[in-house]
Amino acid sequence: MPYLGVFESGWEALLEYLSAHVLTCLVPAFFVAGAIAVFVSQAAVMKYFGAGAKKVLAYSVASVSGTILAVCSCTVLPLFAGIHKRGAGLGPAIAFLYSGPAINILAVVYSARLLGFDLGAARAIGAIIFSIVIGLIMAFVWRKEEAQKANNPGQLALPQEEEKSRPQGITLFYFAILVGILVFGAAQRWLITGVVLIVLGWVLYRWFQKEELGYWMHQTWDLFKKIFPILIAGVFVAGIIKALLPQEVVEVWLGGNGLRATFIASVFGALMYFSTLTEVPIIRALMDLGMGRGPALALLLAGPALSLPNMIVIARIMGIRKTGVYVCLVVVMATATGMIFGNLIL
Amino acid sequence: MKIEVLGPGCRRCHDTFERVREVLEELKLEAQLVKVTGVFEIIDKGISLTPALIVDGKVKFQGKVPSIKEIRNLLLEAKA
């Protein structure tokens, strides 16, 4: 019964994940993501995307703000279109579009846990650096058009600045505590985690209102409900891939850290659609079957940022030519990063 | 009064829509309440972050689910 075997492999993968507590490391990350959605002022971030914003700031903020803005908004495409047409321009818009899915806190934590700390870190750092590089190249290629736009700046609608209910330092401290719980929990230092938890309790009691806390829990639970089922499905699919895909095929096409394997991984990642976080278990399955670490990073970098359906939407926003160049840049950059990572760093 | 709730159909957009409906019922206000879910339509209205709330063509909130209180104040103001 080959069909039953395939199903069983998916099921086994699922049980293994749940029992090995691979997913428990995500629990604190869900709380951090929920906290970002509730307590970080988007207006504060968005002002760096306006038409008059300094370029250096616009690029740097764009490359990291996916962490914040991707959790706040259900889709980043309107914001991408806004930055491109009415805001800081093509370069920062591209930087934002590319880095967003790769540096969200859940994706980084999950990649580090499942694929190894080095791959998780390489993914986050690679996404930030190359989002800026790709943005700069795009802005350079279309510099004339961008210069014209600069003479006639649009108005990016900014969300209203909200009243602060506590000193900014406290909010920062609160986020530092949450990240501390995430890190010490992952390192299984239970004593320190406990101490930090007590500090968190005190900070919440002293400076936070009950209503805000309720909304934080609500957001966290919402994110969990949205992402967890997709993740379970992804793990299941990854198990099935492991059973169906012959090991020799993976070894021949994606094995090692060679140029061909890395390039194939990049192209595959660019075309394939991965739902939030599902790229991680699928890449893990491919690595178990013999995919090299360089190609794995290339797939991680090209995968979530691009897919056929989202290429079509992007093409409608900024035109086919720009989209074509963008896609080629992503594939080339992902391949280059994968090669560097696979051959020089490891 | 025309009220538009913009968002691709995620949970937060749904919450916003329901809250506006609740407040309209509570205040017994007559209004045209519509959902805008198309990504390009949202972009054309100049919205960057969803969910967003537009009242009579003016963007009132974006990137957050407004609280019942905020919606109530907004609608009372718009009516006056």
Side-chain angles (χ1 to χ4, degrees):
Chain A
M1 288 286 277
Y3 293 112
L4 204 64
V6 168
F7 185 77
E8 234 169 54
S9 171
W11 184 243
E12 263 169 29
L14 205 59
L15 284 183
E16 195 187 305
Y17 271 62
L18 292 177
S19 61
H21 306 292
V22 175
L23 295 173
T24 49
C25 72
L26 276 176
V27 172
F30 274 109
F31 279 94
V32 178
I36 290 173
V38 177
F39 296 119
V40 175
S41 155
Q42 298 176 62
V45 178
M46 290 278 292
K47 66 177 180 226
Y48 298 108
F49 292 144
K54 278 211 180 95
K55 287 290 167 223
V56 181
L57 272 176
Y59 277 100
S60 349
V61 174
S63 70
V64 294
S65 63
T67 336
I68 295 161
L69 296 168
V71 255
C72 297
S73 201
C74 332
T75 158
V76 297
L77 288 168
L79 183 49
F80 163 68
I83 301 172
H84 171 41
K85 291 205 175 107
R86 294 182 297 273
L90 180 63
I94 288 284
F96 169 72
L97 182 72
Y98 177 72
S99 75
I103 53 166
N104 104 46
I105 180 126
L106 288 163
V108 172
V109 170
Y110 195 37
S111 307
R113 179 72 177 84
L114 200 56
L115 307 175
F117 179 77
D118 54 347
L119 260 179
R123 178 187 195 185
I125 296 167
I128 290 170
I129 294 175
F130 284 97
S131 71
I132 295 178
V133 173
I134 292 176
L136 285 172
I137 295 177
M138 292 288 288
F140 180 74
V141 173
W142 276 278
R143 59 190 178 281
K144 277 190 193 148
E145 196 183 309
E146 287 298 297
Q148 264 174 10
K149 228 168 29 183
N151 292 332
N152 185 15
Q155 195 50 255
L156 183 66
L158 300 174
Q160 52 293 323
E161 196 85 53
E162 280 168 46
E163 277 176 49
K164 290 192 178 72
S165 45
R166 74 189 67 77
Q168 204 155 22
I170 296 295
T171 309
L172 274 177
F173 184 53
Y174 158 77
F175 274 103
I177 294 173
L178 288 185
V179 172
I181 293 173
L182 185 69
V183 171
F184 291 122
Q188 312 204 323
R189 298 289 190 79
W190 302 124
L191 188 69
I192 308 180
T193 310
V195 172
V196 182
L197 267 173
I198 293 170
V199 178
L200 175 68
W202 178 70
V203 169
L204 292 181
Y205 173 76
R206 175 77 175 71
W207 278 289
F208 285 69
Q209 287 154 16
K210 217 171 166 188
E211 196 194 345
E212 290 175 318
L213 294 180
Y215 202 52
W216 175 30
M217 292 304 128
H218 181 80
Q219 275 298 328
T220 305
W221 179 234
D222 257 13
L223 274 172
F224 185 78
K225 269 195 304 193
K226 192 170 91 186
I227 291 173
F228 200 73
I230 302 174
L231 210 51
I232 293 286
V235 170
F236 191 75
V237 170
I240 288 177
I241 288 176
K242 247 170 118 170
L244 282 183
L245 207 60
Q247 192 157 0
E248 308 86 69
V249 175
V250 178
E251 271 169 6
V252 168
W253 295 101
L254 294 169
N257 290 312
L259 180 60
R260 193 185 67 172
T262 314
F263 182 70
I264 290 173
S266 299
V267 174
F268 172 69
L271 297 176
M272 176 78 187
Y273 172 73
F274 294 105
S275 192
T276 330
L277 300 185
T278 51
E279 74 275 6
V280 183
I282 290 172
I283 286 171
R284 176 61 205 248
L286 288 172
M287 284 173 79
D288 287 347
L289 288 173
M291 178 167 64
R293 296 177 77 74
L297 181 62
L299 190 48
L300 270 177
L301 286 173
L306 274 180
S307 67
L308 266 180
N310 104 336
M311 277 178 211
I312 293 167
V313 181
I314 299 171
R316 273 190 64 180
I317 295 172
M318 64 177 186
I320 291 173
R321 277 182 57 203
K322 288 195 186 91
T323 308
V325 173
Y326 172 59
V327 172
C328 293
L329 280 172
V330 169
V331 171
V332 171
M333 290 293 169
T335 310
T337 321
M339 287 294 288
I340 293 170
F341 181 76
N343 294 297
L344 298 180
I345 296 177
L346 285 182
Chain B
M1 182 159 43
K2 186 180 180 191
I3 304 171
E4 296 161 89
V5 176
L6 302 94
C10 57
R11 178 69 203 274
R12 284 154 56 82
C13 315
H14 181 77
D15 281 354
T16 309
F17 188 84
E18 286 305 314
R19 283 184 185 184
V20 173
R21 205 167 62 182
E22 261 172 52
V23 174
L24 282 176
E25 259 170 42
E26 179 202 308
L27 299 175
K28 301 199 168 54
L29 282 175
E30 284 291 322
Q32 190 193 350
L33 178 59
V34 285
K35 239 182 214 175
V36 180
T37 52
V39 172
F40 295 105
E41 243 179 295
I42 295 172
I43 292 170
D44 288 340
K45 303 227 181 221
I47 296 295
S48 305
L49 299 162
T50 56
L53 191 64
I54 295 182
V55 178
D56 289 332
K58 284 197 190 100
V59 182
K60 295 296 182 183
F61 288 107
Q62 57 168 328
K64 71 177 240 175
V65 183
S67 69
I68 297 266
K69 209 171 114 192
E70 283 170 321
I71 297 172
R72 195 184 291 135
N73 291 342
L74 180 70
L75 295 187
L76 285 174
E77 208 177 282
K79 188 187 149 203

